Structures are given as structure tokens and as C-alpha cells.
Amino acid sequence: MRGMKLQVLITLACSSGFLLFGYDQGVFSGVNVSPYFVETFNNPDSDLLGTISAIYDIGAAFGAISCMIFGNNLGRKRIIMLGCLICSVGAALQGSAKTVAQLIVGRIVGGFGVGQLTSTIGIWQAETSEAHNRGALMSIELVLCAIGLLLAQWINYGFGTNGGAVAYQFPILFQLVFLAGTMCLVPMLPESPRWLVGRGKMDKAADILVWLSSNPDATKEDPEIAKTLREMEEIALLEDMSGWIWFKTLFKGGPTQNGRRVAMSCAINMFQQLSGVNSVTYYVPTLLITFIGVSRSDSLWIGGLTSVVSLAFAIVPIFLIDRWGRLPFLATGAGIQAVSFFVVAGLYANLPEEGTDAAKSYGIAIVAFIFVFFASFSTCWLGPSWMYSAEILPVQGRTHGMGLAGIFYWMFNFLIVMISPTALERISWKYYVILGVFNACFVPSLYFFTETKGKTLEELDLYFAERYHGGRELHDLEAAMQMRDVDNDKPMAYQLEKINSATAGQVEKAAVEHGSESSATAEK
């Protein structure tokens, strides 16, 4: 299997991982109000409930750290398989929990696995996609994330009138189905060709590029395949993220501006969480009970509508993201989200006396703008933020950088989930003002970010080298690659030493001299 069919299978494998991610983001908001949960875990107060919910994010942050340290050695597929296995253990621990201690351990373990998956799946998808449809394919992953949220909320609603253990255990254990799907698909699919090039496995990378090509007649000798493979090798030389030097190189400027790009990736992940999405996702039923006074069962089905809205609007980027670009989506969404939260804060601050018809009308208006927020976030941030974070990073440093960005994502996720119940209880409407201000600040901040649409991952490296270093390193690299063409038995490390130690003129001169010597030898 090759071409688009192969890319579809890779997208399905990646999507099932994000399906789990979306499911986990929504499932706990329903089970934590079930009678079984309240009775079994001794009716936890808002502080303990916030801790139980948010400790999952601490585990995920450690999962991201593990990817940052070991991910590049293990490869994309092995990390994904390992993450699925760890998630399965976490789900089993949570589903069988009878004490708060076991529940917390289960959420930490499950979070660890999800942290590995979310730090790797986007990379694998980006590195096996072509530039012209990379955004669309990665958007499909996040549509499945929205489907995961929808499944979680409607499964919770289905058990809304059930007071037994099944109302807690089935929603938690159902995530094993998604994990099984990913674990069955991934071993059948190819590794990232970029990762293989970084490990020196050029022949295998060339084979995979042929399989992934949209040209059904492509071969390893095809000029386009050869050109792509050469660009990957050049970037591997230019970045030099091998060994333990990666930790130092990750934060340097250098020819590919690694530090600048890692900062962009981390900032986007931080922005996504400071937008306030999980202050809503985790606590939709609680907000509905508080503002409208609905029953637990009604709060679950009304809350389930947010996932329907999320799914419907998450489809939009599939058709437009590769035409409009990532940054216009992000900026537009941040503006709409800011307005939504400011309106919610204004209505909440002037909420009439509880129990009156006016209070219920205000509550309905508040929930309506929560829906507007969800629609905006699902269109403009859910897919675009995840794909941008993976795309903007340097090719050879992508695993390390995505791991670091994942730490930012999960720690700020933890912060928002942890403080939301207490903040709503103690500062009420002012909390939504804070979230609105955050979103408003994102709009001008995005002006300083670099667009990624339409560029191959290697072209992004070359773009940064040209823009910030005037092409000097590229000149050195080109000359060194010419030397390699003349005397190709020299190892990659030899060429890299030439790039790092010589000036452009010296390398060029060495290339010319070496070529002359080889020509003279041939003539003799």
C-alpha cells in the first residue's frame, strides 16, 4: 500500500490516539458527579476534586519529559506503542479504584501515557505528510479528538440515571477500545523518514518516501524523491541534534534558530490552555447546575451539546487551513474567545436573585456564550494550535522540542483545571475577565510568529537560516555537500566538522581543491 491510501491509514492511527485524548478530556467531568463516585470517594470538596482532575496533567507532563529525553532514540512508532501500553494500565487502575489514592495513581499513570502520545502523534503525522495537505490531515486528527469528547459526554449522559458502579467504571474503561485500535494499526505502518535520515538509515528513508509519494509511479531514482532525501540529509547536518548535544542546541539560535522556534511552540501550547478551554470542558455539568439550576441528568445532555458543537466546527479547518494558514485562524479565534468571556463575565456579575425567571434567562445567555466559545475554539485553536506546535520546530530537534512544548501544555492544563473550581467559588465572574484578557493578549502576540502553511519541514529550516543568518551557513553546507558528492566515502561526521569549523570561503576553497585533486587523479 502506498500514496494517499497509506497516508489515510497513518492519519487513522494518529486520529485514534487523539480520539483517546479528547475522550479523556471530557469523561471525568461526567463520572465525578455520579452517585457512585461521590459515595466511593467520600464526596470530595472542590479543592480535592480539582486535585484529582488535575493530577492527570502532572502525569502527562512527565510523559512529555520522557519524550524530550528518550523520544529521539526510540523513534515515533515505539513511543506511540509505549504510550498506549501505559495508558491501558492507567485506565485499569482508575476503573478499579476504590480509594482516592488508587484513583490518583491511575490518573497519573494514564496521564503519563497520554503525554507521550500527544508529544509524538503530531510529529509522526507531520513528518509523513506532504506540504500541500499536511494541515488538512492533521486537522482530521483533531476532528477525532472532538469525537472523543462527544463520546465521553454522551456515554456519561447515557448513564446519567444509573447510580451503580457501571456509571463510573464503563466510561473509564471504554478508552481501552481506542488504545487497542492504535496498537493494532501502528506496527503495520512506516516510521518517519525524517527520523530515519537522522539515524543515518538513508535507504530505508528513501523506500518510505516512495511509499508516501502522491505520484503512483515514483521510484527511489525519481528526481523529486532524490531532492527530498537530499534536503532531509542537509538539514540533519545543519541542525546537528545528535547525542546529548541536543539539550544545548535546542535553546541556541544557530543557523536554524532552534531556540526561537522552540519558544514559539511552547508559547502556542501555553496560549491554548490559558484560553480557558479546560475551565469549561472539565466542569460543564457543574456550570449548568450552578447557572441554570438543572438536574444532574439534564446537565449531562446539555453539556453533551458542547461536544456536538465542537465536532461540527472542528471540521472547518480541514477545508481551509492549507489555504488560509495557521496564524489567521489562531488570531481570529482568540478575538472571538475574548469577547465571549467578557460577555459571560458581565452577565455573571449582574446575575439576578437566584430562583427567579430573570436569573434563569441570564443563565441561559451565559451558557449560550460558552457554546460560542466552544465553536470558536474548535474551529480556530483545536487543530491549528496542535499542528503549528509540531510544524514550527526544527526537523531533527522536533521530538525534543515537542516534549518541552508538551510540558508547557500539560502544566498550564494542570493550572487551569486545578484552580477553576476554587476560582469560580471565590472570585466568581472575575475569573472570566482574566480568561478574556488572556485571549485578547494573544491576538497581537501572534504577529511575532512565523506562518508554516505550504512549506515542507525542511523549507522551514532553510527559511530561518536565510532570514536570520543571511544564508552563510547554507553556503557552508552546500560547499560541504559538494565535497561529499566528490568524495562520498567520507562519513557524515566529517562533513559536519567542516561546516562547524570552517568559514564559507574556506569550505568552498576546500571543495574546489578536493575536486581538482580528484579530477587530476582520474586523468592519470
Side-chain angles (χ1 to χ4, degrees):
M1 185 175 295
R2 56 186 291 174
M4 183 53 68
K5 290 182 180 178
L6 181 57
Q7 289 198 351
V8 167
L9 277 181
I10 293 173
T11 301
L12 284 176
C14 294
S15 298
S16 61
F18 267 101
L19 183 67
L20 169 70
F21 173 52
Y23 186 84
D24 274 355
Q25 293 295 292
V27 70
F28 203 69
S29 67
V31 299
N32 66 17
V33 294
S34 69
Y36 176 83
F37 180 92
V38 172
E39 180 181 347
T40 302
F41 301 109
N42 300 317
N43 193 19
D45 59 23
S46 61
D47 289 337
L48 180 57
L49 181 60
T51 300
I52 294 171
S53 297
I55 202 70
Y56 178 90
D57 304 321
I58 296 296
F62 279 101
I65 291 172
S66 73
C67 287
M68 184 173 70
I69 297 173
F70 304 112
N72 216 38
N73 292 328
L74 294 176
R76 315 317 187 211
K77 290 174 57 177
R78 289 176 186 167
I79 284 289
I80 292 171
M81 293 294 289
L82 180 61
C84 287
L85 180 62
I86 294 173
C87 282
S88 300
V89 174
L93 287 171
Q94 291 178 72
S96 61
K98 302 293 183 182
T99 65
V100 171
Q102 183 178 336
L103 178 60
I104 288 175
V105 170
R107 286 189 64 75
I108 291 173
V109 173
F112 190 97
V114 168
Q116 291 184 318
L117 291 175
T118 54
S119 296
T120 310
I121 284 175
I123 295 174
W124 189 38
Q125 179 77 79
E127 292 182 344
T128 53
S129 302
E130 296 182 304
H132 70 277
N133 64 357
R134 187 176 62 233
L137 293 176
M138 297 184 77
S139 294
I140 291 172
E141 291 178 24
L142 277 303
V143 169
L144 269 291
C145 180
I147 290 176
L149 177 62
L150 181 146
L151 284 173
Q153 292 184 331
W154 286 100
I155 287 174
N156 281 332
Y157 173 69
F159 288 103
T161 58
N162 190 312
V166 68
Y168 167 77
Q169 292 172 345
F170 181 88
I172 293 292
L173 295 175
F174 188 69
Q175 60 191 287
L176 294 172
V177 175
F178 316 139
L179 291 164
T182 303
M183 293 182 76
C184 289
L185 276 174
V186 170
M188 304 162 47
L189 300 170
E191 182 56 90
S192 160
R194 270 95 177 176
W195 181 79
L196 291 169
V197 168
R199 310 297 288 183
K201 300 178 180 180
M202 306 300 293
D203 287 341
K204 185 63 175 176
D207 288 335
I208 293 174
L209 284 174
V210 171
W211 300 341
L212 292 170
S213 175
S214 55
N215 178 8
D217 300 319
T219 65
K220 291 170 69 172
E221 290 72 33
D222 188 285
E224 193 63 31
I225 298 295
K227 175 178 177 291
T228 301
L229 191 66
R230 182 182 177 86
E231 286 179 352
M232 290 181 182
E233 187 178 15
E234 288 177 354
I235 295 306
L237 286 169
L238 192 63
E239 288 183 358
D240 182 27
M241 302 292 287
S242 59
W244 285 101
I245 196 173
W246 68 263
F247 190 77
K248 179 180 179 182
T249 308
L250 194 64
F251 301 102
K252 289 175 62 177
T256 51
Q257 292 293 287
N258 296 340
R260 182 187 300 270
R261 295 161 72 181
V262 168
M264 290 181 190
S265 182
C266 292
I268 287 294
N269 278 4
M270 179 178 68
F271 290 175
Q272 191 199 106
Q273 287 307 300
L274 291 179
S275 72
V277 61
N278 282 318
S279 70
V280 178
T281 304
Y282 276 68
Y283 303 110
V284 166
T286 304
L287 293 173
L288 291 165
I289 292 169
T290 301
F291 289 130
I292 305 180
V294 301
S295 66
R296 170 182 169 247
S297 178
D298 286 342
S299 75
L300 291 174
W301 80 258
I302 297 172
L305 293 178
T306 60
S307 61
V308 176
V309 170
S310 181
L311 173 59
F313 283 88
I315 295 172
V316 175
I318 295 176
F319 305 100
L320 298 175
I321 193 72
D322 286 314
R323 291 167 54 191
W324 291 1
R326 288 46 163 164
L327 298 181
F329 268 89
L330 294 170
T332 301
I336 295 172
Q337 289 153 206
V339 172
S340 299
F341 275 134
F342 288 143
V343 172
V344 168
L347 291 169
Y348 193 4
N350 296 283
L351 200 63
E353 184 178 346
E354 186 176 349
T356 64
D357 289 341
K360 188 172 183 178
S361 298
Y362 271 64
I364 292 172
I366 288 171
V367 173
F369 275 94
I370 293 295
F371 275 67
V372 172
F373 172 89
F374 257 100
S376 174
F377 183 88
S378 300
T379 303
C380 301
W381 277 83
L382 182 61
S385 62
W386 278 105
M387 72 180 69
Y388 185 87
S389 185
E391 290 174 331
I392 196 62
L393 290 164
V395 174
Q396 296 303 315
R398 184 164 287 113
T399 302
H400 309 307
M402 196 65 180
L404 183 61
I407 295 170
F408 272 76
Y409 175 89
W410 290 109
M411 292 309 296
F412 278 90
N413 189 321
F414 172 80
L415 173 68
I416 293 296
V417 175
M418 182 74 179
I419 69 172
S420 288
T422 304
L424 289 170
E425 185 179 296
R426 296 179 183 174
I427 63 173
S428 62
W429 62 270
K430 299 181 184 69
Y431 183 51
Y432 292 107
V433 173
I434 294 171
L435 295 176
V437 169
F438 282 147
N439 280 278
C441 290
F442 300 159
V443 178
S445 300
L446 290 167
Y447 173 80
F448 300 99
F449 287 65
T450 300
E451 181 56 69
T452 60
K453 77 162 184 175
K455 296 183 178 71
T456 67
L457 303 180
E458 287 72 31
E459 284 172 348
L460 281 167
D461 272 17
L462 299 175
Y463 165 81
F464 278 96
E466 286 282 7
R467 178 173 180 181
Y468 294 101
H469 281 257
R472 182 180 64 80
E473 286 84 356
L474 296 180
H475 191 275
D476 292 353
L477 177 63
E478 185 178 351
M481 291 297 288
Q482 288 172 358
M483 287 181 66
R484 188 164 189 239
D485 289 341
V486 172
D487 190 5
N488 58 16
D489 63 338
K490 294 292 185 182
M492 188 176 290
Y494 173 83
Q495 310 301 337
L496 183 61
E497 182 181 355
K498 288 291 184 184
I499 297 168
N500 290 335
S501 64
T503 65
Q506 289 171 328
V507 174
E508 186 174 8
K509 181 179 178 182
V512 172
E513 290 176 352
H514 193 86
S516 300
E517 290 173 4
S518 298
S519 298
T521 302
E523 289 174 2
K524 289 179 182 179

